[in-house]
Amino acid sequence: MTLSVQQRGGVFLVAVVCLLVLGICAPFSGHDWQRVMQIAIGACAVLYGLSVARVERLVNRPTAQGLALIVVLGLASAMLAHQPLWALAEVALFVSCGAIAVAFALLRRHGGERLDRALILIVVLLCLIKSIQYLYAGTLAFASAERTLDPDLLLSGFSNKRFYGQFQTFTLPLLALPLLIPGLSRSLKAWVFALLCVWWLIAIGGGTRGTWLGMGAAGMVLAVLGPWGRRWLGWQLAALLGGLLLYWLVFTVLADYLGIAVANGASDRLTTSLSGRGPIWWQAWHMLTERPWLGFGPMHFADIANKIAAHPHQAVLQWASEWGVPSALCVALLAWHGGWATFGVLRERALSAERADLLRLCLFAALVGALVQSMVDGVIVMPNSQVWLALVVGWLMGLHVWRTPPTVEMPLAWAAWKTLGVLAVGLLIFIAARDVPHIKQAQQQYLDAHGGLLQPRFWAQGVIAR
C-alpha cells in the first residue's frame, strides 16, 4: 500500500518526536547521544524528502543561489583543510540541517494548521517532562541530608547547563503561544502559565546568561510588532516574575529554613565577565586574518588545541575563521534577508489573531533569541540546538506568505538537493558507525592524556587536533 504525502509526513513527525523525547528527556542523554539523534532525524528528513516528487518553491532564487554558493565554498575549504574528512563532516551537518528545515517546511505546507497544534503540543510535552524531572530532582535534594545544594545538579539530559539554556531559548517563546490564542479556556491557560513560570524558574536557576540575553533581545523586537507582540512580552514578563518568585521561595526561603547552603546561585552569574571567551575569540580572529578567503576549514577551530573550547562561542567568528569571510558574509546576508521577509509579514499581519500568525510571531521570537545567543554561545554547534534551529527556520518557511503565488521548483534543482542530502547523511552515518563503538574509550584516553574536561564539538570530545 502506497502512503500519501500527508501520511508520510505523519510518519516523519512521529519519528522526530520519539527521537526528540529520547534525546532530551532520557536520563542517559548527553552530547554524543544527541548527535546520534540529530543524524537519525537528518536521515528521516532525507527519506521524507525523497518521497516527495515535486514541490512548490520554499525559497526564492537568490536564496537558493546563496545556499549553493555556501555549500560550494564549504567544499572548497574542506578540500584544503588539514583534516578534510572532519571538514566534510561539518559541511554534511550544514546540509543535513537544511534537509531537516526543508522537511519541516514541507510537513507544515502539506499538513496545514493541525500541524501547528501538534508542534505546540510537542513543545508543551517536552517542557512538562523536563520540568517534572527538575522538580523531582529538587525534592530529592532537599529531602537528603546534604547541607549544600547546587542548582546545576538538578539539570539533566544535557552535558552542560548552557546546552540546556539553548533549548530553553527555543522553547520559552513557543510555550507562550497558548496564552495568546483567543477562546482557549482559562483553566488551560492557567496550567500553561504555571508551566511557563516553572520553565523560567529553571532558566533562572540554570544561570545561562545567553538565554537571558536572547530572550531580552526577542522581547525588544516583539515590542514593536504590534499588540500581539506586546501581549507576548507581557506574558513573558509575568512568567519571569513568577519564576523569580519561585526561585526566591525555593532557593532562599526554603533553603534557609532547612539550613541548606546554595552554591552557584543565579545571583553569582550577574556579571559582565566573558567566562574565558576572550582567548578563544582572539584565536578565531587570528585564524580569520591568516586565511580570510576560505578559512582553516569547517570544524577546524577544533584542530588548533586550546585549554578552553573546541569552538569560539561566537557564530560570526566561528564561520569566518573556519569557512572564510565570503561564506560568512553570504550566511549573514541570507539570515538578514529571511529575517527581514518574516519581519515584513509580521508587520503586515500585526492585528491578526489567526493561530498561524500567532505561531509565526512566537517562532520569530525563538529565532531572534537563538541568533542573539549564538553571538556568545555555541548555538550553531550543539546537536540539539542545530535541530531546533532547523525546525524553527523550516516551520517559518512553511508558514511564509508569498507576495506572488509560489511556483513549482525546477526538477533538476530538487533532484540535486535530494542527492546532496543523501550524500551528507551517508557521510554522517559512516562517521557515527566508525566512532560510536569506541567513543567512551577515546574520551578516556583524551582525559588521561590532557586532564580537565571534555570540549564538545562533533562529539563530546570534540578536539580533532593530532
Side-chain angles (χ1 to χ4, degrees):
M1 183 178 65
T2 303
L3 297 176
S4 67
V5 174
Q6 287 191 2
Q7 289 172 326
R8 290 192 291 266
V11 172
F12 167 67
L13 183 62
V14 170
V16 169
V17 172
C18 293
L19 289 167
L20 284 175
V21 171
L22 284 174
I24 297 170
C25 303
F28 51 82
S29 181
H31 184 93
D32 294 331
W33 177 251
Q34 288 173 357
R35 183 67 74 193
V36 173
M37 171 206 75
Q38 178 192 18
I39 295 171
I41 291 176
C44 292
V46 168
L47 289 174
Y48 177 48
L50 289 174
S51 71
V52 180
R54 294 168 66 84
V55 298
E56 294 178 344
R57 68 173 182 178
L58 297 172
V59 296
N60 57 21
R61 187 177 294 273
T63 301
Q65 293 171 340
L67 289 170
L69 178 60
I70 291 169
V71 173
V72 169
L73 289 173
L75 291 173
S77 178
M79 292 298 98
L80 298 174
H82 179 224
Q83 299 191 61
L85 184 59
W86 278 120
L88 287 172
E90 187 85 335
V91 177
L93 278 177
F94 174 75
V95 173
S96 70
C97 287
I100 294 170
V102 167
F104 279 117
L106 294 174
L107 184 70
R108 173 57 179 81
R109 187 166 286 183
H110 291 136
E113 191 175 290
R114 65 185 182 86
L115 267 301
D116 295 341
R117 293 193 293 269
L119 173 63
I120 296 306
L121 284 174
I122 293 166
V123 171
V124 170
L125 174 65
L126 291 173
C127 295
L128 180 62
I129 294 173
K130 296 307 296 180
S131 297
I132 291 172
Q133 288 178 337
Y134 185 86
L135 295 175
Y136 178 70
T139 302
L140 292 181
F142 276 103
S144 69
E146 296 292 333
R147 295 294 90 191
T148 302
L149 172 64
D150 186 349
D152 291 355
L153 301 179
L154 306 182
L155 304 172
S156 63
F158 293 83
S159 304
N160 188 299
K161 66 178 183 178
R162 291 191 181 92
F163 311 158
Y164 200 125
Q166 293 168 19
F167 171 58
Q168 291 194 285
T169 304
F170 286 107
T171 49
L172 277 166
L174 296 173
L175 200 53
L177 177 62
L179 303 173
L180 300 178
I181 296 175
L184 224 58
S185 68
R186 289 188 176 184
S187 59
L188 182 57
K189 286 189 176 184
W191 282 108
V192 173
F193 180 71
L195 178 59
L196 185 59
C197 289
V198 174
W199 207 226
W200 265 110
L201 161 67
I202 299 173
I204 294 165
T208 303
R209 289 177 293 169
T211 296
W212 305 345
L213 177 65
M215 288 300 296
M220 287 189 289
V221 172
L222 261 64
V224 302
L225 283 175
W228 289 106
R230 288 187 286 275
R231 191 168 298 181
W232 177 93
L233 178 58
W235 279 115
Q236 291 290 353
L237 290 174
L240 170 60
L241 292 175
L244 283 169
L245 177 61
L246 288 173
Y247 183 87
W248 176 73
L249 289 173
V250 173
F251 294 106
T252 300
V253 176
L254 182 59
D256 288 346
Y257 178 77
L258 297 176
I260 298 175
V262 176
N264 294 323
S267 59
D268 298 336
R269 300 286 295 165
L270 294 175
T271 68
T272 57
S273 70
L274 293 177
S275 299
R277 285 169 174 77
I280 54 178
W281 286 357
W282 274 114
Q283 177 178 319
W285 176 257
H286 289 309
M287 292 169 63
L288 182 162
T289 55
E290 186 174 342
R291 300 184 187 178
W293 296 108
L294 289 174
F296 274 67
M299 205 188 293
H300 271 58
F301 186 92
D303 192 47
I304 304 172
N306 63 72
K307 297 181 179 180
I308 300 172
H311 60 99
H313 291 70
Q314 216 285 343
V316 176
L317 283 175
Q318 178 181 320
W319 205 281
S321 64
E322 294 185 343
W323 297 60
V325 174
S327 179
L329 287 174
C330 193
V331 171
L333 287 173
L334 288 184
W336 176 262
H337 177 66
W340 186 252
T342 303
F343 186 85
V345 174
L346 288 168
R347 289 299 298 269
E348 289 175 4
R349 307 174 75 89
L351 300 179
S352 172
E354 295 292 327
R355 293 192 179 191
D357 295 316
L358 297 177
L359 176 59
R360 184 186 293 108
L361 186 79
C362 295
L363 286 167
F364 188 66
L367 181 61
V368 171
L371 291 179
V372 170
Q373 186 172 1
S374 74
M375 297 299 104
V376 294
D377 217 340
V379 173
I380 66 169
V381 172
M382 298 306 129
N384 184 65
S385 301
Q386 289 177 336
V387 169
W388 280 91
L389 186 59
L391 185 153
V392 168
V393 171
W395 218 277
L396 283 170
M397 288 164 58
L399 287 170
H400 188 67
V401 179
W402 292 88
R403 296 185 182 277
T404 57
T407 57
V408 176
E409 282 285 0
M410 292 183 294
L412 185 61
W414 180 237
W417 171 251
K418 291 194 287 189
T419 302
L420 187 62
V422 170
L423 293 174
V425 170
L427 176 59
L428 295 175
I429 292 174
F430 165 76
I431 291 174
R434 180 196 68 182
D435 292 352
V436 168
H438 316 289
I439 205 161
K440 293 297 182 184
Q441 179 184 356
Q443 289 177 1
Q444 193 57 50
Q445 288 176 350
Y446 178 84
L447 291 173
D448 292 340
H450 303 283
L453 300 173
L454 298 174
Q455 299 176 21
R457 186 67 194 253
F458 189 91
W459 300 118
Q461 195 302 91
V463 178
I464 61 174
R466 297 289 183 264

